[in-house]
Amino acid sequence: MQHKNPQKKLIDLEHQVTILTRLSEVSTVLNSTMRLQPLLASIMDIAADITNAEAASVLLWERKSNTLRFAATTTEGGSGTSLIGQVVPLDNSIAGTVLRERTVLVVNDVRQDPRHYRKIDDSTAFQTRSVLGVPMTSKNRVIGVLEAINRRKLPWTADDVRYLSILAAQAAVAIEGAQLVTRLRRAND
């Protein structure tokens, strides 16, 4: 069966090669630093780029307090810095559902999803319209959630899910390594 538009097929394949090349380079980038903040900044840039999203966020789960908190976010205009450290409910939020159920959630219109935690939008000048959330797991333990926010051209695609899931897996291992180094530095000090 021939593709009806070979030019579009070629463009699609070139785009896939570009993203897969970027993902193959991610390991080098993520393993180039053991400092958490530069690592998180790289993850945000890559996540937004590979999913064609306006923003991305990492929310990390703190086992001791059983809380899910923003660890990093990038939004156009920089309004996301006020989110760092803010808690997101585990019971009634998109990110909480991703974490609890260890599942990917695709929400093309957050206005239609009662789990959208509107308090975050209210505290910033940013408006969430769509979300793709994937669990971040390391050694079969969930450590947080990686979100891409506001895809520039909806809907979210199966490729977006696949690419963000690959990044989340790589990022989880790198984040755990950076957290371990941070704890070791504190113990040595």
Side-chain angles (χ1 to χ4, degrees), residues 14-169:
E14 288 172 346
H15 178 69
Q16 286 181 356
V17 167
T18 300
I19 290 178
L20 291 172
T21 301
R22 181 94 194 261
L23 284 171
S24 71
E25 295 165 352
V26 164
S27 293
T28 305
V29 171
L30 296 183
N31 291 316
S32 66
T33 182
M34 282 290 145
R35 294 177 29 184
L36 191 56
Q37 292 312 314
L39 177 63
L40 291 170
S42 292
I43 294 166
M44 298 301 89
D45 291 343
I46 295 165
D49 184 42
I50 65 174
T51 58
N52 194 25
E54 288 178 16
S57 299
V58 168
L59 298 95
L60 295 178
W61 181 55
E62 297 172 5
R63 281 183 293 191
K64 289 180 183 177
S65 61
N66 194 31
T67 56
L68 183 61
R69 294 181 188 272
F70 276 93
T73 185
T74 180
T75 59
E76 294 173 348
S79 63
T81 55
S82 65
L83 295 179
I84 305 306
Q86 284 198 32
V87 175
V88 174
L90 290 172
D91 293 334
N92 195 22
S93 69
I94 293 169
T97 303
V98 170
L99 182 85
R100 280 190 342 273
E101 297 179 8
R102 293 181 175 214
T103 190
V104 172
L105 275 182
V106 177
V107 181
N108 286 310
D109 184 355
V110 298
R111 295 172 302 173
Q112 304 300 317
D113 194 316
R115 296 170 296 187
H116 175 55
Y117 187 55
R118 286 163 178 74
K119 183 179 177 185
I120 297 301
D121 284 353
D122 294 344
S123 69
T124 66
F126 189 79
Q127 175 150 4
T128 303
R129 295 182 307 279
S130 64
V131 175
L132 167 57
V134 299
M136 297 173 58
T137 57
S138 177
K139 299 174 188 161
N140 204 26
R141 263 186 329 107
V142 65
I143 68 160
V145 176
L146 177 58
E147 294 180 327
I149 301 154
N150 296 346
R151 190 172 201 288
R152 287 184 169 90
K153 185 178 178 189
L154 287 173
W156 296 100
T157 67
D159 283 342
D160 294 327
V161 171
R162 184 173 42 253
Y163 299 147
L164 198 63
S165 296
I166 291 168
L167 177 61

